[in-house]
Every structure is written in C-alpha cells, then in structure tokens.
Amino acid sequence: MTELSKALAELTPAQAAAVGWGNGPMFVLAGPGSGKTRVLTTRIAKLLSDAPDRSFRIMALTFTNKAADEMASRVAALVPNQERRALVGTFHSFCMMLLQQHGSHIGIQSDFAIYSLDSDREDILRDALGYANSAYDEAKLLSAIDKLKSRLILPEGCARFFHDATVGRRVELAYTSYDNALRAGNALDFGSLIAQSYKLISEYPGVAARYRKTYAYWMFDEFQDTTDGQYRLIKALAGDDFKNIFAVADDDQIIYQWNGASYQQIQRFRIDFQPQELQLPTNYRCPPAIVAAANRLVVHNSQRTLDKSALEAGKVSLKYPDIEHIQVHRYSSDSVEAERIAGGIAATEPARRGEVAVLARTRAILEKVHSALADKGVSSVIAQRRDEFSSPQFQWLSAALRQASRPLDRRALELLVGAFNRWFGLNVRADDLKMSAELTGRSYLDEWAAAVGAEEGSEVTSFIELATELGKQPAAYRKLIDQFLAQVESSPDQPIDLTEDLSAWTDLTRAIGKSVGREAPLELFLQELAMRSKEPPVGPAVVTLMTIHAAKGKEFDHVYLVGLAEEVLPSFHSLKAGETSAEMEEERRNCFVAITRAREWLCLSYADSYRGWGKQPSRFLQEMGLALPVSAEA
C-alpha cells in the first residue's frame, strides 16, 4: 500500500468528501484540530496522482513559511515523484516568484532586494524625505503606509483617505518619497510584494491568464486571515471564469483584524465565487471538556456562519484520562501568578517541558513568567518572529552577502561595518568608507577590507579575505559561507546569541535549499532569507512562551493561559468599545484560539491585581461555564 493509499484510507467521511472534491469552488469551514492540513495535502497528492501524465500544476498558499514547509514535506511523502508539480508557499513567496518572473513589465528587475527590517525601512524613508523634522515619525508613517498598501491604495491621492488634511498630505508625501526610493533601488518591502503583484496583473492581464492555464487548481489555507489586498489579488488572478478555488477557513479564528483580516473576506468569497460549502467540526486535538468549553464560549459571537455546527469531540485516546482536563486558578497578584505557574512547570519532568506552552494576551505577562522560570532553573523562550540575527557574526555575514549582491547598497555597508565593529571592538566609520569609495572608485567591500586590515592585525585576516573573495565571486557564496561557518563554529566559548543564530541558520538554509535548491543564485538566496524568520528552533526541553497571536496554528500537550482578567483578556480597548463590538468578538476569538491549542491539559489563571491595579475575572471564564475559585492563592 502506498503512502497516499494509507492517507486516503485514514480519512473520515467528511475529510474524504473534501479531499475528493473535483472541479468548481469549494469553501471548507474547518474547526481547530479538525485535520485541515491533512485534507489539503492529501487533496493535492490525490489530484496529482490521479493525473500523472497531465501537465497542469497546483497552487497552495498559506500564511507562514513553517506551515508551507510542512505542507510541502507531507505532499512529497505522499507522491514523491509528483511533488514538483505543486507550488506550496505563502502569499508573499508566491508574489515574490510572480515578480521575479514578470516584474520587468512594471519596471521591477528580477534581482530586487526585499527589505524586511524596520530599521532598513526607516532609514530609507528618512533618506527619501531628505531632512529631519520632528513632525515626521518614521515608524508611524511606515505604519500608515503599510495600511494603505494592504488596501492596494497607491501614493498618488492617498491623502483623501485621512480625516485630517494635514496628516493626509504628510503621509502622501512620505509614501510617494518612500515608494520612489524603493523603486530607484530596485527594492520591495513585504507590502510592496502584494501591491506590486496586483498592479502587474491588473495592467498585464495576460500574466494572470498564464497562471490560470498553468495552475489548474488553487487552494488557500487559513483563508480567514486574508487582507483586503490579498483577497483582491486572488480575485484579479481568477478573473471572471476561473472557479477551481478550494478555500479552508474558520471564522472563529479571525484574530488578525489589526492586520486587515476580516469576516468580510469570507462573505466576499461566498458572493463572488458561489462555492459549495462543507464543514469539518470534529476536533481530534483537545479532550472533550476543552471542546465543550470552547463551544460555550464562541456562541456568544455573532460574526460567524449562522448554520455553523458546534465543535464535536473526536479525540478517543488521552495520555492522562483520569485527570481534570481544565483547571482554573486565582492568584492574589500577577507576580504570584507568574511564580506559581513557574513552580508548576518546574515540577514537570524536564523531558516533557518541550510540550508545555504558556500563552498570554500580552508580552508583559509572559516576561514575568519567563523571569520566574529562570529563577527556578527552567529553560524557556518567548517565541516570536525575528527578522534579524542577534549575533554580530551573523549580522555581518548577512550584510556581507547583501553587499556582494548589491555593491552600492549603503545600508548593507552600514550593517556590515557596525556588526564587525561590535564583533572585534573596532571603530571603523561607514561614512568614511563611502567617501573613500567615491574618491577611489573601489567597491564598498574593498574599502572596508582595506580599512579593517589597516586597523587590525591577523585576527581578522581570514574574514577580510572571505569578504573580499565574496565581492569578487558572489556566485561562489555557498563555498564562502561554509568557510565562515567552519571558522565561527570552531571558536571557543560561543555566546548564547551566536549559538542560537547557528541553529537558526542551519534550519533556514535547509528550508531554503528545499525551496529553491542549493545552487540558487545569491540574489534568490537573499530574497528567500529576507522572507523567513531568524528565530532559532526551540530545544526539546525548553518551555515555549507565546502571545496568543503567535500561537495560532500551534499545539501543545499542556497549555497555561494566564492573565484571564478583565482589561487584560478581554483588553481594556475591547471593553471600552462595548460588549457587542467587533473588538470584543475578536478578544473572544483570541481566547477560543488559545484554549484549543491544548492536546491534553489546560490551566486557566487570573489574578486579583495586575501592576497594582485591581481586576475582575474575565467574563470569558463565566461564558465557558467554569467554576471560579472562591479565594485567591497568595
């Protein structure tokens, strides 16, 4: 029996119906733990296996690189000779590919840079504006620009979208200057990937027609998280006639409204594509008690499908069948809450701590728990996306690679110089190197090598030679990276940030190699590197601490959800907006997402005070039908 045959045989009737769906639009409402990834990957594999001699391809998009990598690996395991016919990636990686192949139509060359660091983008904006003015806050301006881009609003005339005419003019000037600076440098940021892809297919509909012909089936995971711009991109790609769109979503897990996700995208899909609908309500992840609490909680929301089925408990095998699967604890203060939670985790066997997660609405609460765990000698990490390496060694390497690919990239030079200065305690100035390069006509890398070589001795010679060779032979970057790694790995007493970056680099390059091949040109490698988080993998005995937003898509045996108090979860902002507000409904979905991460055991906790301010227990505890402790633990 093949792997695909086994996978098909293990499907439930509802999952099999989704996997076996043929042509036409389909919308699948898939609750947490319902096996949606299994459905998507098995469907891709079945479509490919059923037509091995046909030339069509399949496109499947999701929202994180880790989710896309997992899906691609599963497809490869199911149909090892057909997986190359499946494009599995994120919206942003798809747009990157689209612009690599066709961006020249709108003036974007295939070797464009991708700026993912806020510091890079703020420097570009600051340079583009050309002068310092206290009225210009780069971070706030970029936030406004990003929101405009997410709605595919162009710089010209964007001032009309602001109530305050002065603010509107200021943003329009900044947006125009910033956009021109990116274009002049053949560079894009994340928002530009979506916006420029939409511009491309709008102005050159033949490009969209080509994709419709090549990719006969489209699939979208976590469809509830699409922004207005992403939805309009899908609609423009599909045109009037393409209907083979298979979207999987859960309207009870829309928790990114601040980033443009909305129930309206689901409603638009229903109106625009008229899909058949199928529900996957059975939860195979959580114990029945957690499923029941989740159902009691989420029915208080109104922005959800009217005839949506309640979650059904499908987990038949529990590791700990005799325990109470939900516990509620009350503490006298947030400090006591953190200390007691840490104490409970410390009592867990070290080998099982990798399956323990602490979730909270805010990072501030997580930091208290993190500190309390450290006091008890328990290793933990606050997990979050990281767009930059933390060690000067890997900051220098990534900057050197950028400099080799784009010799006149001044920002890359500043990063390279700053990182190497911190690494070896030097005082080389990037401005001096830029001036020298203008006078001598030499590259920035050559100027840097000369300056460092004059100031320092043999200790850094090998890295100077490596950077110089990289500038001369950027195509040989793989060999030079291997030399760098060999030198860095052999250094004694590695600091923690270097150890973490080494681990992150190993994971990153493995994933990039699978995605674009080990022999990909440097420009493509750098584009992929910019798209991915530099967060190191979590060790097997390390406790994971996450905000609820970061925990989406994850699952753990043991989950602690801390801070279930009014003005914390739900937030003060949602309480101010009102009980029936969209903000309150999203806070309720936050709680729903958090509790359904637990595979075996869930601990809910709250304190009588946070930062010295008295709080009441969260209304969500009552809505879940849970009994509250009579007194607080001190």
Side-chain angles (χ1 to χ4, degrees), residues 22-23 43-59 82-87 210-219 242 244:
N23 295 321
R43 173 171 162 76
I44 294 169
K46 185 177 185 300
L47 287 169
L48 295 174
S49 178
D50 287 350
D53 300 323
R54 293 180 60 188
S55 59
F56 73 80
R57 301 189 70 195
I58 294 171
M59 177 172 66
Q82 296 283 332
E83 79 277 8
R84 290 191 177 277
R85 292 170 57 200
L87 169 64
R210 177 175 174 178
Y211 276 82
R212 290 194 292 270
K213 183 177 180 180
T214 302
Y215 296 92
Y217 297 93
W218 301 356
M219 301 184 202
F242 189 86
N244 282 345

mmCIF file of all heavy atoms in Angstrom, residues 22-23 43-59 82-87 210-219 242 244:
data_model
loop_
_atom_site.group_PDB
_atom_site.id
_atom_site.type_symbol
_atom_site.label_atom_id
_atom_site.label_comp_id
_atom_site.label_asym_id
_atom_site.label_seq_id
_atom_site.Cartn_x
_atom_site.Cartn_y
_atom_site.Cartn_z
ATOM 1 N N GLY A 22 -13.981 17.665 -6.771
ATOM 2 C CA GLY A 22 -13.409 17.791 -8.110
ATOM 3 C C GLY A 22 -13.245 19.234 -8.537
ATOM 4 O O GLY A 22 -12.519 20.004 -7.916
ATOM 5 N N ASN A 23 -13.966 19.631 -9.570
ATOM 6 C CA ASN A 23 -13.849 20.984 -10.113
ATOM 7 C C ASN A 23 -14.892 21.910 -9.496
ATOM 8 O O ASN A 23 -15.929 21.476 -8.998
ATOM 9 C CB ASN A 23 -14.016 20.954 -11.627
ATOM 10 C CG ASN A 23 -12.899 20.181 -12.297
ATOM 11 O OD1 ASN A 23 -11.743 20.274 -11.885
ATOM 12 N ND2 ASN A 23 -13.225 19.402 -13.316
ATOM 13 N N ARG A 43 -5.443 16.100 -0.560
ATOM 14 C CA ARG A 43 -6.139 16.524 -1.778
ATOM 15 C C ARG A 43 -5.136 16.864 -2.891
ATOM 16 O O ARG A 43 -5.306 16.469 -4.036
ATOM 17 C CB ARG A 43 -7.028 17.731 -1.480
ATOM 18 C CG ARG A 43 -7.668 18.337 -2.726
ATOM 19 C CD ARG A 43 -8.697 19.390 -2.368
ATOM 20 N NE ARG A 43 -8.997 20.252 -3.498
ATOM 21 C CZ ARG A 43 -9.764 19.914 -4.529
ATOM 22 N NH1 ARG A 43 -10.311 18.714 -4.570
ATOM 23 N NH2 ARG A 43 -9.976 20.755 -5.518
ATOM 24 N N ILE A 44 -4.083 17.609 -2.537
ATOM 25 C CA ILE A 44 -3.047 17.925 -3.532
ATOM 26 C C ILE A 44 -2.461 16.634 -4.101
ATOM 27 O O ILE A 44 -2.342 16.462 -5.321
ATOM 28 C CB ILE A 44 -1.930 18.775 -2.892
ATOM 29 C CG1 ILE A 44 -2.461 20.149 -2.492
ATOM 30 C CG2 ILE A 44 -0.753 18.929 -3.858
ATOM 31 C CD1 ILE A 44 -1.495 20.947 -1.631
ATOM 32 N N ALA A 45 -2.094 15.721 -3.202
ATOM 33 C CA ALA A 45 -1.467 14.471 -3.646
ATOM 34 C C ALA A 45 -2.417 13.652 -4.521
ATOM 35 O O ALA A 45 -1.991 13.068 -5.529
ATOM 36 C CB ALA A 45 -1.040 13.659 -2.426
ATOM 37 N N LYS A 46 -3.681 13.606 -4.151
ATOM 38 C CA LYS A 46 -4.647 12.815 -4.931
ATOM 39 C C LYS A 46 -4.842 13.405 -6.327
ATOM 40 O O LYS A 46 -4.892 12.669 -7.325
ATOM 41 C CB LYS A 46 -5.987 12.752 -4.203
ATOM 42 C CG LYS A 46 -7.026 11.846 -4.891
ATOM 43 C CD LYS A 46 -8.298 11.767 -4.080
ATOM 44 C CE LYS A 46 -9.270 10.758 -4.705
ATOM 45 N NZ LYS A 46 -9.640 11.113 -6.091
ATOM 46 N N LEU A 47 -4.961 14.722 -6.425
ATOM 47 C CA LEU A 47 -5.120 15.354 -7.732
ATOM 48 C C LEU A 47 -3.926 15.065 -8.633
ATOM 49 O O LEU A 47 -4.075 14.789 -9.828
ATOM 50 C CB LEU A 47 -5.298 16.867 -7.567
ATOM 51 C CG LEU A 47 -6.645 17.341 -7.022
ATOM 52 C CD1 LEU A 47 -6.574 18.821 -6.654
ATOM 53 C CD2 LEU A 47 -7.753 17.103 -8.054
ATOM 54 N N LEU A 48 -2.736 15.123 -8.055
ATOM 55 C CA LEU A 48 -1.528 14.838 -8.837
ATOM 56 C C LEU A 48 -1.459 13.363 -9.224
ATOM 57 O O LEU A 48 -1.125 13.012 -10.357
ATOM 58 C CB LEU A 48 -0.285 15.238 -8.041
ATOM 59 C CG LEU A 48 -0.117 16.730 -7.751
ATOM 60 C CD1 LEU A 48 1.082 16.959 -6.835
ATOM 61 C CD2 LEU A 48 0.043 17.517 -9.049
ATOM 62 N N SER A 49 -1.771 12.487 -8.268
ATOM 63 C CA SER A 49 -1.689 11.046 -8.519
ATOM 64 C C SER A 49 -2.727 10.588 -9.539
ATOM 65 O O SER A 49 -2.461 9.691 -10.345
ATOM 66 C CB SER A 49 -1.888 10.285 -7.207
ATOM 67 O OG SER A 49 -1.854 8.895 -7.410
ATOM 68 N N ASP A 50 -3.907 11.204 -9.537
ATOM 69 C CA ASP A 50 -4.964 10.801 -10.466
ATOM 70 C C ASP A 50 -4.685 11.210 -11.898
ATOM 71 O O ASP A 50 -5.320 10.700 -12.826
ATOM 72 C CB ASP A 50 -6.303 11.415 -10.026
ATOM 73 C CG ASP A 50 -6.872 10.743 -8.792
ATOM 74 O OD1 ASP A 50 -6.333 9.688 -8.396
ATOM 75 O OD2 ASP A 50 -7.836 11.279 -8.217
ATOM 76 N N ALA A 51 -3.753 12.147 -12.105
ATOM 77 C CA ALA A 51 -3.445 12.607 -13.466
ATOM 78 C C ALA A 51 -1.937 12.736 -13.637
ATOM 79 O O ALA A 51 -1.411 13.837 -13.843
ATOM 80 C CB ALA A 51 -4.136 13.939 -13.724
ATOM 81 N N PRO A 52 -1.201 11.618 -13.545
ATOM 82 C CA PRO A 52 0.265 11.701 -13.558
ATOM 83 C C PRO A 52 0.844 12.187 -14.884
ATOM 84 O O PRO A 52 1.968 12.700 -14.910
ATOM 85 C CB PRO A 52 0.694 10.261 -13.268
ATOM 86 C CG PRO A 52 -0.460 9.420 -13.723
ATOM 87 C CD PRO A 52 -1.678 10.235 -13.422
ATOM 88 N N ASP A 53 0.097 12.022 -15.962
ATOM 89 C CA ASP A 53 0.638 12.372 -17.275
ATOM 90 C C ASP A 53 0.182 13.739 -17.767
ATOM 91 O O ASP A 53 0.570 14.161 -18.855
ATOM 92 C CB ASP A 53 0.234 11.297 -18.305
ATOM 93 C CG ASP A 53 0.766 9.925 -17.933
ATOM 94 O OD1 ASP A 53 1.896 9.871 -17.408
ATOM 95 O OD2 ASP A 53 0.059 8.934 -18.146
ATOM 96 N N ARG A 54 -0.644 14.415 -16.985
ATOM 97 C CA ARG A 54 -1.099 15.735 -17.401
ATOM 98 C C ARG A 54 -0.123 16.808 -16.924
ATOM 99 O O ARG A 54 0.595 16.624 -15.945
ATOM 100 C CB ARG A 54 -2.504 15.999 -16.874
ATOM 101 C CG ARG A 54 -3.568 15.081 -17.516
ATOM 102 C CD ARG A 54 -4.939 15.378 -16.981
ATOM 103 N NE ARG A 54 -5.335 16.773 -17.265
ATOM 104 C CZ ARG A 54 -6.429 17.351 -16.773
ATOM 105 N NH1 ARG A 54 -7.208 16.659 -15.955
ATOM 106 N NH2 ARG A 54 -6.715 18.602 -17.074
ATOM 107 N N SER A 55 -0.113 17.923 -17.634
ATOM 108 C CA SER A 55 0.917 18.929 -17.364
ATOM 109 C C SER A 55 0.474 19.999 -16.371
ATOM 110 O O SER A 55 1.262 20.878 -16.040
ATOM 111 C CB SER A 55 1.317 19.612 -18.680
ATOM 112 O OG SER A 55 0.180 20.228 -19.283
ATOM 113 N N PHE A 56 -0.780 19.957 -15.906
ATOM 114 C CA PHE A 56 -1.222 21.015 -15.009
ATOM 115 C C PHE A 56 -0.459 20.967 -13.689
ATOM 116 O O PHE A 56 0.067 19.937 -13.272
ATOM 117 C CB PHE A 56 -2.735 20.929 -14.755
ATOM 118 C CG PHE A 56 -3.159 19.789 -13.848
ATOM 119 C CD1 PHE A 56 -3.054 19.884 -12.466
ATOM 120 C CD2 PHE A 56 -3.673 18.615 -14.387
ATOM 121 C CE1 PHE A 56 -3.452 18.846 -11.638
ATOM 122 C CE2 PHE A 56 -4.071 17.572 -13.565
ATOM 123 C CZ PHE A 56 -3.958 17.688 -12.199
ATOM 124 N N ARG A 57 -0.450 22.136 -13.026
ATOM 125 C CA ARG A 57 0.161 22.232 -11.712
ATOM 126 C C ARG A 57 -0.889 22.701 -10.699
ATOM 127 O O ARG A 57 -1.989 23.124 -11.072
ATOM 128 C CB ARG A 57 1.348 23.201 -11.740
ATOM 129 C CG ARG A 57 2.453 22.797 -12.722
ATOM 130 C CD ARG A 57 3.669 23.668 -12.548
ATOM 131 N NE ARG A 57 4.339 23.381 -11.282
ATOM 132 C CZ ARG A 57 5.255 24.178 -10.738
ATOM 133 N NH1 ARG A 57 5.598 25.318 -11.337
ATOM 134 N NH2 ARG A 57 5.832 23.856 -9.597
ATOM 135 N N ILE A 58 -0.530 22.623 -9.416
ATOM 136 C CA ILE A 58 -1.424 23.005 -8.330
ATOM 137 C C ILE A 58 -0.750 24.086 -7.497
ATOM 138 O O ILE A 58 0.450 24.010 -7.218
ATOM 139 C CB ILE A 58 -1.754 21.789 -7.444
ATOM 140 C CG1 ILE A 58 -2.566 20.766 -8.242
ATOM 141 C CG2 ILE A 58 -2.517 22.218 -6.185
ATOM 142 C CD1 ILE A 58 -2.755 19.451 -7.508
ATOM 143 N N MET A 59 -1.529 25.088 -7.125
ATOM 144 C CA MET A 59 -1.020 26.157 -6.263
ATOM 145 C C MET A 59 -1.712 26.075 -4.914
ATOM 146 O O MET A 59 -2.948 26.031 -4.851
ATOM 147 C CB MET A 59 -1.281 27.519 -6.899
ATOM 148 C CG MET A 59 -0.833 28.695 -6.031
ATOM 149 S SD MET A 59 -0.944 30.280 -6.899
ATOM 150 C CE MET A 59 -2.714 30.445 -7.127
ATOM 151 N N GLN A 82 5.812 13.289 -7.871
ATOM 152 C CA GLN A 82 4.943 14.299 -8.462
ATOM 153 C C GLN A 82 4.974 15.639 -7.724
ATOM 154 O O GLN A 82 4.366 16.603 -8.182
ATOM 155 C CB GLN A 82 3.486 13.782 -8.447
ATOM 156 C CG GLN A 82 3.246 12.553 -9.304
ATOM 157 C CD GLN A 82 3.160 12.896 -10.777
ATOM 158 O OE1 GLN A 82 2.783 13.999 -11.143
ATOM 159 N NE2 GLN A 82 3.519 11.947 -11.633
ATOM 160 N N GLU A 83 5.696 15.710 -6.602
ATOM 161 C CA GLU A 83 5.551 16.880 -5.735
ATOM 162 C C GLU A 83 6.004 18.178 -6.388
ATOM 163 O O GLU A 83 5.564 19.261 -6.010
ATOM 164 C CB GLU A 83 6.298 16.674 -4.405
ATOM 165 C CG GLU A 83 7.816 16.879 -4.451
ATOM 166 C CD GLU A 83 8.560 15.643 -4.950
ATOM 167 O OE1 GLU A 83 7.902 14.695 -5.391
ATOM 168 O OE2 GLU A 83 9.803 15.653 -4.880
ATOM 169 N N ARG A 84 6.873 18.104 -7.411
ATOM 170 C CA ARG A 84 7.348 19.327 -8.064
ATOM 171 C C ARG A 84 6.244 20.016 -8.861
ATOM 172 O O ARG A 84 6.395 21.172 -9.256
ATOM 173 C CB ARG A 84 8.542 19.019 -8.971
ATOM 174 C CG ARG A 84 9.803 18.656 -8.191
ATOM 175 C CD ARG A 84 11.030 18.614 -9.062
ATOM 176 N NE ARG A 84 12.215 18.345 -8.283
ATOM 177 C CZ ARG A 84 12.916 19.263 -7.614
ATOM 178 N NH1 ARG A 84 12.513 20.521 -7.637
ATOM 179 N NH2 ARG A 84 13.986 18.936 -6.919
ATOM 180 N N ARG A 85 5.159 19.313 -9.086
ATOM 181 C CA ARG A 85 4.024 19.929 -9.792
ATOM 182 C C ARG A 85 3.161 20.762 -8.849
ATOM 183 O O ARG A 85 2.198 21.376 -9.291
ATOM 184 C CB ARG A 85 3.170 18.844 -10.466
ATOM 185 C CG ARG A 85 3.876 18.141 -11.618
ATOM 186 C CD ARG A 85 3.081 16.922 -12.075
ATOM 187 N NE ARG A 85 1.721 17.269 -12.462
ATOM 188 C CZ ARG A 85 0.730 16.389 -12.531
ATOM 189 N NH1 ARG A 85 0.935 15.119 -12.193
ATOM 190 N NH2 ARG A 85 -0.483 16.774 -12.907
ATOM 191 N N ALA A 86 3.502 20.757 -7.576
ATOM 192 C CA ALA A 86 2.743 21.532 -6.593
ATOM 193 C C ALA A 86 3.565 22.733 -6.126
ATOM 194 O O ALA A 86 4.687 22.574 -5.653
ATOM 195 C CB ALA A 86 2.367 20.655 -5.402
ATOM 196 N N LEU A 87 3.006 23.912 -6.268
ATOM 197 C CA LEU A 87 3.606 25.119 -5.724
ATOM 198 C C LEU A 87 2.978 25.356 -4.360
ATOM 199 O O LEU A 87 1.815 25.746 -4.254
ATOM 200 C CB LEU A 87 3.336 26.315 -6.644
ATOM 201 C CG LEU A 87 3.681 27.693 -6.073
ATOM 202 C CD1 LEU A 87 5.176 27.822 -5.823
ATOM 203 C CD2 LEU A 87 3.200 28.798 -7.000
ATOM 204 N N ARG A 210 -1.990 33.376 -17.911
ATOM 205 C CA ARG A 210 -0.967 32.327 -17.962
ATOM 206 C C ARG A 210 -1.001 31.476 -16.694
ATOM 207 O O ARG A 210 -0.876 30.245 -16.757
ATOM 208 C CB ARG A 210 0.409 32.970 -18.146
ATOM 209 C CG ARG A 210 1.557 31.982 -18.130
ATOM 210 C CD ARG A 210 2.863 32.679 -18.438
ATOM 211 N NE ARG A 210 3.989 31.777 -18.292
ATOM 212 C CZ ARG A 210 5.255 32.120 -18.535
ATOM 213 N NH1 ARG A 210 5.536 33.340 -18.946
ATOM 214 N NH2 ARG A 210 6.234 31.256 -18.363
ATOM 215 N N TYR A 211 -1.173 32.125 -15.561
ATOM 216 C CA TYR A 211 -1.218 31.367 -14.301
ATOM 217 C C TYR A 211 -2.487 30.529 -14.191
ATOM 218 O O TYR A 211 -2.462 29.433 -13.638
ATOM 219 C CB TYR A 211 -1.071 32.325 -13.111
ATOM 220 C CG TYR A 211 0.381 32.632 -12.807
ATOM 221 C CD1 TYR A 211 1.073 33.603 -13.530
ATOM 222 C CD2 TYR A 211 1.066 31.926 -11.836
ATOM 223 C CE1 TYR A 211 2.412 33.866 -13.280
ATOM 224 C CE2 TYR A 211 2.403 32.177 -11.561
ATOM 225 C CZ TYR A 211 3.070 33.151 -12.295
ATOM 226 O OH TYR A 211 4.405 33.400 -12.052
ATOM 227 N N ARG A 212 -3.573 31.043 -14.705
ATOM 228 C CA ARG A 212 -4.805 30.255 -14.697
ATOM 229 C C ARG A 212 -4.662 29.002 -15.550
ATOM 230 O O ARG A 212 -5.213 27.939 -15.225
ATOM 231 C CB ARG A 212 -5.977 31.105 -15.207
ATOM 232 C CG ARG A 212 -6.392 32.212 -14.261
ATOM 233 C CD ARG A 212 -7.735 32.795 -14.644
ATOM 234 N NE ARG A 212 -7.720 33.528 -15.902
ATOM 235 C CZ ARG A 212 -7.461 34.825 -16.006
ATOM 236 N NH1 ARG A 212 -7.201 35.534 -14.919
ATOM 237 N NH2 ARG A 212 -7.484 35.423 -17.172
ATOM 238 N N LYS A 213 -3.923 29.125 -16.620
ATOM 239 C CA LYS A 213 -3.719 27.973 -17.504
ATOM 240 C C LYS A 213 -2.742 26.977 -16.895
ATOM 241 O O LYS A 213 -2.925 25.754 -17.005
ATOM 242 C CB LYS A 213 -3.190 28.451 -18.861
ATOM 243 C CG LYS A 213 -3.020 27.339 -19.885
ATOM 244 C CD LYS A 213 -2.567 27.886 -21.229
ATOM 245 C CE LYS A 213 -2.402 26.767 -22.258
ATOM 246 N NZ LYS A 213 -1.956 27.306 -23.569
ATOM 247 N N THR A 214 -1.699 27.462 -16.263
ATOM 248 C CA THR A 214 -0.664 26.582 -15.706
ATOM 249 C C THR A 214 -1.149 25.886 -14.434
ATOM 250 O O THR A 214 -0.942 24.687 -14.256
ATOM 251 C CB THR A 214 0.605 27.398 -15.390
ATOM 252 O OG1 THR A 214 1.063 28.031 -16.589
ATOM 253 C CG2 THR A 214 1.701 26.495 -14.840
ATOM 254 N N TYR A 215 -1.783 26.649 -13.539
ATOM 255 C CA TYR A 215 -2.217 26.110 -12.253
ATOM 256 C C TYR A 215 -3.727 25.844 -12.313
ATOM 257 O O TYR A 215 -4.543 26.754 -12.161
ATOM 258 C CB TYR A 215 -1.873 27.086 -11.121
ATOM 259 C CG TYR A 215 -0.375 27.266 -10.963
ATOM 260 C CD1 TYR A 215 0.300 28.292 -11.629
ATOM 261 C CD2 TYR A 215 0.368 26.392 -10.175
ATOM 262 C CE1 TYR A 215 1.675 28.451 -11.497
ATOM 263 C CE2 TYR A 215 1.740 26.543 -10.035
ATOM 264 C CZ TYR A 215 2.382 27.569 -10.704
ATOM 265 O OH TYR A 215 3.741 27.716 -10.573
ATOM 266 N N ALA A 216 -4.065 24.585 -12.526
ATOM 267 C CA ALA A 216 -5.468 24.217 -12.745
ATOM 268 C C ALA A 216 -6.276 24.218 -11.465
ATOM 269 O O ALA A 216 -7.514 24.328 -11.506
ATOM 270 C CB ALA A 216 -5.544 22.836 -13.403
ATOM 271 N N TYR A 217 -5.613 24.082 -10.313
ATOM 272 C CA TYR A 217 -6.307 24.048 -9.023
ATOM 273 C C TYR A 217 -5.588 24.965 -8.051
ATOM 274 O O TYR A 217 -4.363 24.903 -7.916
ATOM 275 C CB TYR A 217 -6.349 22.620 -8.464
ATOM 276 C CG TYR A 217 -7.113 21.646 -9.322
ATOM 277 C CD1 TYR A 217 -6.451 20.878 -10.284
ATOM 278 C CD2 TYR A 217 -8.491 21.490 -9.192
ATOM 279 C CE1 TYR A 217 -7.148 19.987 -11.090
ATOM 280 C CE2 TYR A 217 -9.200 20.602 -9.992
ATOM 281 C CZ TYR A 217 -8.519 19.858 -10.939
ATOM 282 O OH TYR A 217 -9.209 18.976 -11.731
ATOM 283 N N TRP A 218 -6.375 25.805 -7.362
ATOM 284 C CA TRP A 218 -5.818 26.708 -6.356
ATOM 285 C C TRP A 218 -6.402 26.343 -4.998
ATOM 286 O O TRP A 218 -7.598 26.059 -4.875
ATOM 287 C CB TRP A 218 -6.176 28.162 -6.651
ATOM 288 C CG TRP A 218 -5.702 28.673 -7.985
ATOM 289 C CD1 TRP A 218 -4.937 28.017 -8.911
ATOM 290 C CD2 TRP A 218 -5.980 29.960 -8.533
ATOM 291 N NE1 TRP A 218 -4.717 28.817 -10.004
ATOM 292 C CE2 TRP A 218 -5.348 30.022 -9.803
ATOM 293 C CE3 TRP A 218 -6.697 31.067 -8.092
ATOM 294 C CZ2 TRP A 218 -5.417 31.142 -10.621
ATOM 295 C CZ3 TRP A 218 -6.767 32.189 -8.897
ATOM 296 C CH2 TRP A 218 -6.133 32.234 -10.154
ATOM 297 N N MET A 219 -5.549 26.359 -3.986
ATOM 298 C CA MET A 219 -6.004 26.074 -2.624
ATOM 299 C C MET A 219 -5.443 27.133 -1.678
ATOM 300 O O MET A 219 -4.282 27.548 -1.810
ATOM 301 C CB MET A 219 -5.545 24.690 -2.178
ATOM 302 C CG MET A 219 -6.058 23.575 -3.064
ATOM 303 S SD MET A 219 -5.591 21.952 -2.461
ATOM 304 C CE MET A 219 -5.732 21.015 -3.989
ATOM 305 N N PHE A 242 -12.313 31.649 -13.839
ATOM 306 C CA PHE A 242 -11.627 30.580 -13.111
ATOM 307 C C PHE A 242 -12.375 30.290 -11.812
ATOM 308 O O PHE A 242 -12.640 31.184 -11.016
ATOM 309 C CB PHE A 242 -10.185 30.976 -12.808
ATOM 310 C CG PHE A 242 -9.369 29.841 -12.242
ATOM 311 C CD1 PHE A 242 -8.730 28.939 -13.069
ATOM 312 C CD2 PHE A 242 -9.254 29.665 -10.865
ATOM 313 C CE1 PHE A 242 -7.985 27.894 -12.561
ATOM 314 C CE2 PHE A 242 -8.524 28.620 -10.339
ATOM 315 C CZ PHE A 242 -7.880 27.728 -11.191
ATOM 316 N N ASN A 244 -11.817 26.957 -9.972
ATOM 317 C CA ASN A 244 -11.269 25.826 -9.211
ATOM 318 C C ASN A 244 -10.492 26.325 -7.980
ATOM 319 O O ASN A 244 -9.273 26.159 -7.884
ATOM 320 C CB ASN A 244 -10.370 24.960 -10.093
ATOM 321 C CG ASN A 244 -11.157 24.054 -10.996
ATOM 322 O OD1 ASN A 244 -12.356 23.858 -10.804
ATOM 323 N ND2 ASN A 244 -10.512 23.491 -11.998
#
